Amino acid sequence: VAAGLSLVPIRAKSKCPPSSWKTYQERKPTDDELLNWVNKYPGLGIVGGKVSGNGDGSSLEILDLESIAPLEDFRKLIERAAPDLLSRLPLVETPTGGRHIYYRCQAIEGNQKLAQRAEKVTDEGLPRKEDGALDEIEIKKLGLRKINGRYCKIKTLIETRGEGGQVLSPLCLPGTHPNGGVYRLLSGELTNIPTITIEEREILLNMARACNEFIALKDADGQREASREMVNGIKPGEDFNARADVCEKVRSLLEEHGWSKFGSGRAGELWSRPGVNDHCSATLFDNGALYVFSTNAGPFDTNKTYSPFATYTLLDHDGGFTAAAKALATQGYGEQRKRARSLDAGEHTDTGAQTVVTQACPYKSNGVGLVWMKQVKEPGGGWAEVPTQLTNFNAEIVGDISRDDGAEQTRVFELRARLAEETAWRSGRVNAADFTSIQKWVYEVLGAKATVYPGRGEHARTAIQLLSREIRTRRVVAHTGWRSDEGQWLYHHVGGAISAEGLVEAEVDLPTSLTPFFLPQPPAGTRLREVVRAVAFDLPKVAADAITLPLIGGVWSAVLTGADFSIFFVGYTGSGKSELAALPQSFFGAGFHAKNLPAAWTSSANSLEALAHTAKDCVLVIDDFCPTGSAVEQSRLHAAADRVLRAQGNHSGRGRCRADGSVRPPKPPRGLIISTGEDLPRGQSLRARSATIQVEKDSVNWQQLTLCQQQSRKGIYAEATSAFLQWLASGNRIERLRNEASETIGRLRGEWLSRGGDAHKRSATTLAQLQRAWQVWLEFAADCRALDGDEIAGLREAVEIALDKLGQAQAGYQASENPAFRFIELLQAALTSGKAHLAAIDGGQPENGEAWGWRDGEAQGDRIGWIEGGDVFLQPDAAYRVAQSIGVNGEGVTLTARTLWKRLRETGFLASCESEERQTIKKQIGQTRPRVLHLRAGNLSGSSIV
């Protein structure tokens, strides 16, 4: 109050003063009144207008932006027109996520609605009488408005609170607002509200008007004249407004008269008047209406909407509607039947072959469906329209969606259709490429009763296009994760996007299995520290550090992008592996849990690949790898795992072609796959790309797991992700980290390799990525003061120990799938089972023949080589053939013999070889010197296999 503001008390849960507050629009409250209010009411509002001015003739005005307003679009428009303006003004966040912007100015009016949006109300949402008829009285009470045959609720996006207005202030306690939230001062001081110039205020208001999404063409200036101005009984202006290309016509008119396109808005194109390039002056809507909100934009008035016909009239005919109508008539505009009658009077052109008639739209919609008004020449030489029924339904396109999945853009049409006997519209979607064949989609939308009459499909499709008047064009993001928008990094999810400012609006279209991928508004203050500490200290207690800490590191590796490994939980049924895997998935949405995971190995490899590409910069759990059934079924599952997990490790996608033979862009996995299963996929190279974690039946602390599952359902882990993402987006930190990733991971990989041994050699890169992810997250935890120095140091040490144990475990898993080890194991099995034997150099039974495939002095199976003392000499072809034959269900040796012998040498199984290129040696066996593989006898006795 001392700073010049007038206040008013606010009742709980109402946003309203308790009684008449007009007196405080003329004077400030006294100290006694203030003391009474703070003892009696939970909140205080700030009054706009002259009463809250600063004594120099200025008045207070507050720009009120709702949470559904395009806040980011508005900010960018202001910063382009006046770069330092917003930073000077106090900014308050409302409990619903909206904004209040405070300023004083010499020119202030009453409250103004600057931007609105019309949201269609479904037929089910309309009030009805007992007999089922619409209740028009209740509809009127609800403030619904009928637009193009549909009832809509007009919602305000941005408005001013000036003379006669007030807004709730940060002085309000929780519970003042109906949702219980608080008003938070983000920047500036409410005790020092600056005075801006009239020109700066105009920029604020005009850029707010540029965010307007609602224009009713019937209310536009010139619309009435379009229906009234007649030329020979024809209404050219009305026809001009109704043409499908009217928006392009208006665009050309503006360019011819010096206007320039400024950019794209939510509901249309933004245009700048001649001579201006730093801010926009008008919005050109998709229906051709021009909403002008700038001053000095002659011949247009300020804050007024013009129909296409009015725009044409003002720009090309100085406001003369009759002259404009006559000019359009000469260009072929006008209703066709009346034009046909005029042509009978001689107003036609004869090409010598036929009479050319210019027709507006030859299609109509009647009570039955779509109709083609076919032009037929009458016997007397005139033209007549013959109605030809095309369909038994009406349909229109209501949305034109460009879906961008980061690799390619596809176009989808949103439609609504209604059978003749039905009152309710049905909605559907169709790929643009399929729209031309109406039979491909109409039955999916309307069912078996829908009929397109024979030979009328092309006409029906054209009729739908030409009769669709309000087509909302939208661009949607069809994946999760990071995208850079004009230099600002945004992380997309079902609920919008996380930016440096927090949760912002964005349209994201994801598959059904990813619909729980919803991130809340990033927490702050005490709540932020709580969620960070829950991740740091509660979650690791669910199991041993060697299980949980790599798992949490996997979450942050996915967020930081570029993870080229997967995590695989393997264990018996009931060990808790799916419950463990569900916890990292819940970091990306509280709706994910063990019974609602996004993918399973029972799905096809194609669908899993597509989902892994869509789930960008996040965790994707693929549950239940369990090869059962026939050998063919098991092989199919192993092949699917090999394809998906190998693509994850290589960041590669399958090459594909479009129907026309052109190459489509590859779609590799772009997040981090966490898999669960009772068995591991085959293949050494595949396991080298996975961090395998064994889950025993006693691995999980079930009581702690219950606590963490409760935290995940409350959204605590999703809040932690939102906060981390906001921190990464601030100052485009994520871009710097991405640029430094290769160098950082390379350095950490070198440190793991320097420890020596097989334990880290094959998994050094994976360990480095997990360690780097933890380091970045701990830096975030330190920045938000959730963890102190000792706690961070303790976590760093625990992470390093856990990753060391993980690396040790990986060496064993990878060795078990080494083809050289597999070859030796298969030969051991062949000797033990009597499928093969080794002979002495003279061909007889060797010493300890039972161990080398002899029974009761008789050799069993095929001879695969000879043994002499501690050396074994294998016949290469025979040994390879036996190994392949004893492997079942695809578990033989997958390499060619030539490559396998190289692996035997690299693994150290060969006692000697002729050279690096030739792994065999010549050995005197009786009268011959065959080429053999030289191994130590201990290799085949089993003593070297661990």
Side-chain angles (χ1 to χ4, degrees):
V1 174
L5 299 177
S6 180
L7 301 183
V8 65
I10 302 296
R11 292 179 297 172
K13 303 289 185 183
S14 71
K15 298 176 63 177
C16 298
S19 58
S20 174
W21 52 283
K22 185 172 179 59
T23 182
Y24 304 109
Q25 299 172 31
E26 301 169 354
R27 70 168 178 87
K28 299 176 181 66
T30 65
D31 290 351
D32 288 341
E33 287 173 323
L34 289 172
L35 184 60
N36 178 50
W37 292 348
V38 297
N39 287 326
K40 187 175 181 181
Y41 299 104
L44 294 172
I46 295 177
V47 181
K50 191 172 182 179
V51 69
S52 292
N54 57 6
D56 61 354
S58 65
S59 301
L60 175 68
E61 188 170 56
I62 303 99
L63 205 57
D64 185 358
L65 294 88
E66 298 296 332
S67 60
I68 58 173
L71 304 178
E72 186 62 19
D73 291 354
F74 174 72
R75 182 188 66 79
K76 290 179 180 178
L77 289 171
I78 295 294
E79 289 186 350
R80 184 169 171 182
D84 65 335
L85 180 55
L86 281 180
S87 62
R88 291 159 39 204
L89 307 180
L91 180 65
V92 171
E93 181 183 39
T94 70
T96 59
R99 298 289 189 272
H100 288 165
I101 301 172
Y102 290 76
Y103 55 87
R104 290 184 171 112
C105 187
Q106 298 288 339
I108 296 294
E109 302 96 6
N111 302 334
Q112 302 180 64
K113 295 187 185 300
L114 305 176
Q116 296 178 298
R117 175 185 297 159
E119 295 188 355
K120 294 179 180 178
V121 179
T122 63
D123 291 340
E124 293 78 9
L126 293 173
R128 296 182 181 274
K129 300 177 182 178
E130 292 183 0
D131 60 359
L134 292 177
D135 191 332
E136 299 293 345
I137 296 176
E138 287 299 317
I139 287 174
K140 189 174 182 179
K141 287 181 181 179
L142 292 173
L144 303 184
R145 181 172 178 178
K146 202 166 189 178
I147 302 173
N148 297 321
R150 290 292 303 272
Y151 282 101
C152 297
K153 179 72 173 177
I154 309 302
K155 292 192 175 182
T156 299
L157 305 179
I158 307 175
E159 60 186 329
T160 62
R161 299 295 186 183
E163 203 67 53
Q166 63 92 14
V167 295
L168 274 64
S169 74
L171 298 172
C172 294
L173 298 175
T176 309
H177 190 278
N179 74 0
V182 297
Y183 290 81
R184 188 162 58 100
L185 184 65
L186 299 179
S187 61
E189 300 176 8
L190 294 182
T191 54
N192 187 23
I193 299 173
T195 299
I196 64 175
T197 66
I198 294 175
E199 290 76 16
E200 288 174 326
R201 176 178 179 266
E202 183 181 347
I203 289 174
L204 285 173
L205 269 57
N206 284 346
M207 296 309 98
R209 292 185 179 111
C211 297
N212 184 40
E213 301 178 22
F214 166 64
I215 288 293
L217 186 58
K218 71 182 185 65
D219 298 330
D221 188 67
Q223 187 70 2
R224 183 177 301 175
E225 286 79 0
S227 303
R228 188 176 61 203
E229 294 293 340
M230 310 274 287
V231 180
N232 295 326
I234 304 168
K235 300 175 183 176
E238 193 173 34
D239 187 13
F240 181 77
N241 286 346
R243 288 292 182 97
D245 63 348
V246 66
C247 200
E248 182 62 37
K249 297 288 186 184
V250 176
R251 190 180 296 117
S252 299
L253 280 168
L254 292 173
E255 290 175 344
E256 290 171 8
H257 288 268
W259 288 65
S260 58
K261 185 178 177 182
F262 180 83
S264 296
R266 295 263 173 156
E269 300 173 353
L270 302 178
W271 284 75
S272 298
R273 61 181 172 83
V276 173
N277 55 22
D278 59 351
H279 61 270
C280 50
S281 309
T283 300
L284 175 60
F285 284 79
D286 295 337
N287 58 9
L290 184 69
Y291 172 46
V292 181
F293 43 77
S294 174
T295 55
N296 303 318
F300 304 106
D301 292 331
T302 304
N303 201 20
K304 199 169 185 180
T305 304
Y306 296 87
S307 72
F309 179 53
T311 301
Y312 168 73
T313 301
L314 287 170
L315 291 178
D316 275 7
H317 296 279
D318 297 325
F321 285 102
T322 300
K326 289 181 178 179
L328 287 177
T330 62
Q331 298 174 36
Y333 289 92
E335 203 277 326
Q336 176 59 37
R337 174 171 287 184
K338 293 175 180 177
R339 178 176 297 279
R341 291 173 183 170
S342 297
L343 288 171
D344 289 339
E347 297 180 14
H348 65 273
T349 57
D350 195 339
T351 63
Q354 61 179 358
T355 301
V356 178
V357 179
T358 305
Q359 188 176 1
C361 179
Y363 303 103
K364 296 185 183 299
S365 172
N366 61 14
V368 177
L370 299 173
V371 180
W372 173 30
M373 305 305 292
K374 187 175 181 180
Q375 295 295 307
V376 178
K377 194 169 184 178
E378 295 178 325
W383 292 84
E385 290 179 340
V386 177
T388 303
Q389 198 71 37
L390 302 176
T391 67
N392 70 339
F393 60 85
N394 286 307
E396 61 180 5
I397 303 171
V398 296
D400 184 353
I401 304 173
S402 176
R403 297 182 77 257
D404 185 351
D405 68 359
E408 62 180 342
Q409 293 188 14
T410 55
R411 191 168 292 277
V412 176
F413 295 159
E414 282 184 322
L415 305 111
R416 66 171 192 162
R418 182 174 63 190
L419 290 167
E421 66 270 20
E422 295 181 348
T423 57
W425 291 90
R426 303 188 194 182
S427 299
R429 284 189 176 188
V430 57
N431 292 327
D434 296 332
F435 179 74
T436 53
S437 289
I438 192 169
Q439 287 84 356
K440 284 188 176 182
W441 56 266
V442 68
Y443 303 115
E444 293 182 7
V445 177
L446 290 174
K449 289 185 177 181
T451 302
V452 179
Y453 294 108
R456 305 297 185 214
E458 190 69 15
H459 279 290
R461 186 266 302 168
T462 306
I464 293 171
Q465 287 181 279
L466 293 180
L467 294 174
S468 299
R469 298 302 184 192
E470 292 189 7
I471 302 177
R472 185 185 177 194
T473 302
R474 312 194 323 266
R475 176 180 167 272
V476 303
V477 175
H479 64 81
T480 66
W482 294 105
R483 287 178 74 99
S484 179
D485 183 10
E486 297 183 3
Q488 182 186 21
W489 285 89
L490 302 174
Y491 187 96
H492 293 78
H493 60 99
V494 167
I498 303 294
S499 71
E501 287 76 32
L503 184 62
V504 297
E505 283 192 350
E507 191 166 2
V508 182
D509 185 19
L510 298 179
T512 303
S513 60
L514 293 180
T515 49
F517 195 115
F518 182 91
L519 296 176
Q521 180 76 252
T526 302
R527 179 62 175 179
L528 172 58
R529 290 188 285 274
E530 288 175 354
V531 301
V532 171
R533 295 185 71 83
V535 173
F537 299 119
D538 292 344
L539 189 53
K541 296 176 184 176
V542 171
D545 283 355
I547 294 176
T548 56
L549 295 185
L551 194 62
I552 299 171
V555 172
W556 309 134
S557 292
V559 166
L560 292 172
T561 75
D564 61 358
F565 65 96
S566 56
I567 295 177
F568 203 107
F569 280 112
V570 61
Y572 294 110
T573 298
S575 61
K577 55 187 183 296
S578 295
E579 286 76 7
L580 281 173
L583 292 175
Q585 191 68 70
S586 70
F587 275 74
F588 301 92
F592 288 118
H593 50 79
K595 301 300 182 184
N596 186 32
L597 293 172
W601 285 110
T602 51
S603 302
S604 69
N606 283 342
S607 67
L608 292 176
E609 272 191 343
L611 197 61
H613 180 76
T614 302
K616 181 176 179 288
D617 306 329
C618 68
V619 161
L620 177 70
V621 173
I622 307 180
D623 195 29
D624 199 22
F625 181 81
C626 185
T628 56
S630 67
V632 173
E633 291 171 335
Q634 293 183 42
S635 296
R636 182 203 64 78
L637 189 56
H638 279 284
D642 181 88
R643 178 171 143 189
V644 174
L645 297 180
R646 192 177 297 275
Q648 169 76 46
N650 295 336
H651 278 179
S652 62
R654 295 175 66 236
R656 300 168 302 151
C657 288
R658 298 184 178 90
D660 61 2
S662 60
V663 178
R664 300 183 68 179
K667 296 189 176 183
R670 297 181 293 180
L672 185 141
I673 293 174
I674 296 180
S675 179
T676 72
E678 297 180 22
D679 193 5
L680 289 172
R682 303 184 192 120
Q684 183 199 18
S685 61
L686 188 59
R687 292 192 185 177
R689 293 168 170 82
S690 297
T692 303
I693 298 177
Q694 182 77 36
V695 183
E696 306 291 350
K697 289 196 173 181
D698 58 351
S699 294
V700 176
N701 180 337
W702 294 97
Q703 184 176 357
Q704 186 67 21
L705 175 65
T706 301
L707 169 65
C708 292
Q709 287 174 331
Q710 292 171 351
Q711 291 179 338
S712 73
R713 285 194 293 271
K714 292 177 181 177
I716 287 177
Y717 301 148
E719 286 186 75
T721 302
S722 291
F724 186 43
L725 292 171
Q726 183 180 29
W727 181 79
L728 290 172
S730 300
N732 285 344
R733 186 180 278 110
I734 182 63
E735 184 170 3
R736 173 178 60 80
L737 290 170
R738 284 161 60 102
N739 293 336
E740 297 173 354
S742 179
E743 179 182 351
T744 304
I745 293 172
R747 174 177 55 78
L748 294 173
R749 181 178 184 276
E751 293 176 4
W752 285 106
L753 288 173
S754 67
R755 301 188 180 206
D758 263 0
H760 305 112
K761 186 185 302 180
R762 296 184 178 90
S763 55
T765 302
T766 298
L767 300 178
Q769 291 181 65
L770 291 169
Q771 186 177 12
R772 175 237 184 187
W774 265 104
Q775 288 179 354
V776 173
W777 188 79
L778 289 174
E779 181 184 346
F780 153 72
D783 274 3
C784 65
R785 300 181 181 179
L787 306 178
D788 61 31
D790 291 340
E791 290 170 330
I792 290 174
L795 274 171
R796 286 185 189 276
E797 183 179 0
V799 167
E800 188 169 343
I801 294 172
L803 293 182
D804 184 69
K805 290 181 180 179
L806 180 67
Q808 297 284 352
Q810 300 318 295
Y813 288 119
Q814 292 164 17
S816 67
E817 282 298 312
N818 187 319
F821 279 88
R822 184 63 182 153
F823 175 70
I824 298 298
E825 288 176 345
L826 291 171
L827 292 187
Q828 288 176 352
L831 293 172
T832 303
S833 63
K835 299 292 180 63
H837 72 275
L838 294 176
I841 292 296
D842 61 5
Q845 178 177 344
E847 184 179 350
N848 192 19
E850 292 284 334
W852 308 114
W854 293 72
R855 303 288 184 273
D856 300 326
E858 296 290 333
Q860 306 296 305
D862 297 334
R863 185 176 65 188
I864 59 174
W866 302 267
I867 183 169
E868 183 180 43
D871 297 305
V872 168
F873 304 98
L874 293 178
Q875 288 181 298
D877 291 343
Y880 184 80
R881 184 176 61 254
V882 166
Q884 291 290 63
S885 66
I886 202 169
V888 295
N889 293 336
E891 294 183 354
V893 179
T894 58
L895 301 179
T896 63
R898 190 182 195 85
T899 303
L900 178 60
W901 309 151
K902 290 182 180 179
R903 294 291 178 87
L904 288 173
R905 179 180 61 78
E906 293 168 355
T907 314
F909 281 119
L910 295 185
S912 66
C913 59
E914 187 172 297
S915 65
E916 289 188 4
E917 290 73 26
R918 174 165 278 184
Q919 284 71 41
T920 57
I921 63 171
K922 286 190 174 182
K923 172 65 177 175
Q924 188 70 40
I925 307 291
Q927 303 300 315
T928 62
R929 284 174 57 82
R931 285 200 166 273
V932 294
L933 293 168
H934 180 197
L935 287 77
R936 298 297 183 192
N939 295 143
L940 290 180
S941 67
S943 61
S944 67
I945 303 298
V946 180

